[in-house]
Amino acid sequence: MLTNPSQLILKNSDLFTNENVLVLNYEGDLLPKQLLESAASVTALALDYNHHLIMSNHSAANLTLHFGHQLPTNDEMFDSVIIYYPKAKALASYLLNLAGQHLRADGNLVVVGENKGGIRSIAKQVPDYFDAPFKRDNARHCLLFISQLIKKAPAIKLTDWVSQYQLDTPQGEITICNLVGVFSEKRLDEGTKLLLSHLPKLSGRVLDFGCGAGVIAVALLKAQPELKLECVDINAMALKSCELTLEANNFTAKTYPSDGLSQTQGHFNGIISNPPFHDGLKSTTEIAKTFVRESVQKLANGGCWHIVANRHLPYSDTISEFFGQVNTLAENNKYKVYSNK
């Protein structure tokens, strides 16, 4: 089943006849493969690891799949580039730069998105190396705009897309390097502050689930630099942000993508998290349930499980179901810190 934006792209597949096409930020369906019915070749870059895994199960000739914040090489060029308009408006500007970098001279840019997702602002966001975009189609509550590359786009420089700032935590001041598209308020959010104010003493191999820009990871290593920390996230921009944050604070940890805990190996002596509860534009409790269930399987005997979550999420019942008990170590009017200890 194609998402609404993907259906709109397929409706306009004549745009890509016999072309080499790049798809950026694609969604959780098989649109890149279906484009091969008209395109000569398709290269697809997923920023969401779950979407990458979905497509990876459907390989095809002339279909190349990547996960990350950019393509492996900067010199690969395409006749057309499709952008799925992202939830974060600032990320759209980054994707436009990335598209321009990989488009041939006079190549076509196609931007698609849901009406409620901010796509209408694309006309003001397109940089001057593209001509003015115009609306090609409107269907299934989505819009599709097309534009053309009219001059060479600048190369991607990550430093231009990173917001670096100092953050005060209970463990001391840390430096955060936040790429566009990664949630950040440039201050310590209430949930993370509550979690870091009640950190347990951990040891051995520890997992930071949903690491984001690396706030918890660096604070934890500042308190216990001897830990063998692994940081996972489903979002490519978050993983790169976490790497940059660790580097800026002179810490090392293993960072890699994981859909839930599926790509982690072995058992952990500790699991710590301010877990996400959004899937795209929708809030979901299924992420919470899956995370708790998988945590039980991944926690070593005697291991410590320590998270903070919004009070309105059904963590208490889920934790009781899978851990057998639930301990609330701290709470305020919005958040609770849960632990198995």
Side-chain angles (χ1 to χ4, degrees):
M1 180 69 178
L2 294 178
T3 65
N4 286 341
S6 291
Q7 290 182 50
L8 189 54
I9 292 171
L10 208 58
K11 182 170 175 267
N12 290 270
S13 60
D14 59 293
L15 290 170
F16 315 110
T17 302
N18 297 323
E19 289 197 341
N20 297 316
V21 180
L22 171 63
V23 186
L24 299 176
N25 193 40
Y26 65 86
E27 299 187 338
D29 59 27
L30 304 183
L31 185 278
K33 184 176 181 178
Q34 290 188 242
L35 272 181
L36 289 171
E37 295 176 8
S38 56
S41 71
V42 174
T43 297
L45 178 71
L47 275 65
D48 183 299
Y49 193 59
N50 174 261
H51 299 168
H52 174 70
L53 292 176
I54 290 171
M55 273 306 312
S56 295
N57 291 324
H58 298 272
S59 60
N62 301 322
L63 176 63
T64 305
L65 304 174
H66 300 291
F67 168 77
H69 64 285
Q70 59 188 22
L71 294 182
T73 60
N74 294 327
D75 57 358
E76 201 169 355
M77 306 303 287
F78 299 89
D79 302 307
S80 291
V81 177
I82 299 169
I83 294 176
Y84 283 78
Y85 196 87
K87 178 183 177 183
K89 188 175 181 179
L91 180 57
S93 296
Y94 172 84
L95 292 173
L96 287 166
N97 190 173
L98 189 60
Q101 179 177 285
H102 289 285
L103 266 175
R104 302 185 193 281
D106 300 322
N108 288 321
L109 171 72
V110 176
V111 185
V112 66
E114 297 184 16
N115 291 334
K116 65 180 180 180
I119 182 69
R120 293 181 184 276
S121 64
I122 190 64
K124 296 180 180 178
Q125 283 189 278
V126 169
D128 62 3
Y129 41 88
F130 290 107
D131 66 1
F134 70 92
K135 185 172 71 175
R136 158 91 180 208
D137 206 350
N138 180 3
R140 305 193 69 80
H141 309 291
C142 297
L143 293 169
L144 185 144
F145 289 86
I146 62 174
S147 180
Q148 191 173 54
L149 188 72
I150 55 177
K151 63 181 180 181
K152 187 175 177 61
I156 288 281
K157 296 180 181 177
L158 275 187
T159 52
D160 294 338
W161 302 98
V162 174
S163 175
Q164 183 169 312
Y165 53 92
Q166 302 302 116
L167 204 61
D168 287 323
T169 75
Q171 287 70 40
E173 188 176 74
I174 62 177
T175 300
I176 300 300
C177 299
N178 205 73
L179 276 169
V180 289
V182 182
F183 174 76
S184 172
E185 297 179 352
K186 294 191 176 180
R187 61 181 178 83
L188 194 61
D189 71 87
E190 291 182 44
T192 301
K193 184 177 181 179
L194 189 66
L195 179 73
L196 295 180
S197 296
H198 298 84
L199 275 184
K201 183 70 173 177
L202 298 171
S203 62
R205 188 177 179 224
V206 176
L207 179 70
D208 177 5
F209 171 74
C211 60
V215 176
I216 293 174
V218 170
L220 190 58
L221 288 171
K222 198 172 182 69
Q224 295 187 253
E226 74 280 2
L227 294 176
K228 297 176 182 177
L229 187 64
E230 297 184 19
C231 304
V232 298
D233 206 289
I234 203 168
N235 182 276
M237 303 300 278
L239 286 167
K240 188 61 182 178
S241 295
C242 187
E243 289 178 9
L244 294 171
T245 294
L246 286 161
E247 183 180 346
N249 292 274
N250 298 312
F251 290 122
T252 59
K254 183 179 179 181
T255 62
Y256 56 98
S258 185
D259 185 11
L261 303 186
S262 298
Q263 280 66 45
T264 62
Q265 301 295 318
H267 292 87
F268 296 92
N269 304 108
I271 297 176
I272 191 166
S273 182
N274 182 348
F277 62 96
H278 283 90
D279 181 10
L281 295 170
K282 301 176 182 178
S283 177
T284 174
T285 59
E286 195 57 38
I287 294 174
K289 293 178 181 177
T290 301
F291 171 53
V292 175
R293 182 179 66 249
E294 292 180 342
S295 292
V296 174
Q297 299 166 355
K298 287 289 184 175
L299 204 60
N301 290 335
C304 179
W305 188 79
H306 196 80
I307 73 160
V308 64
N310 294 66
R311 295 181 67 97
H312 73 269
L313 292 177
Y315 268 103
S316 293
D317 293 342
T318 304
I319 295 169
S320 294
E321 178 184 354
F322 291 103
F323 276 97
Q325 62 177 14
V326 56
N327 298 313
T328 303
L329 298 190
E331 61 183 297
N332 56 29
N333 62 337
K334 290 185 178 180
Y335 300 96
K336 287 186 176 183
V337 174
Y338 297 103
S339 177
N340 67 328
K341 297 292 187 180

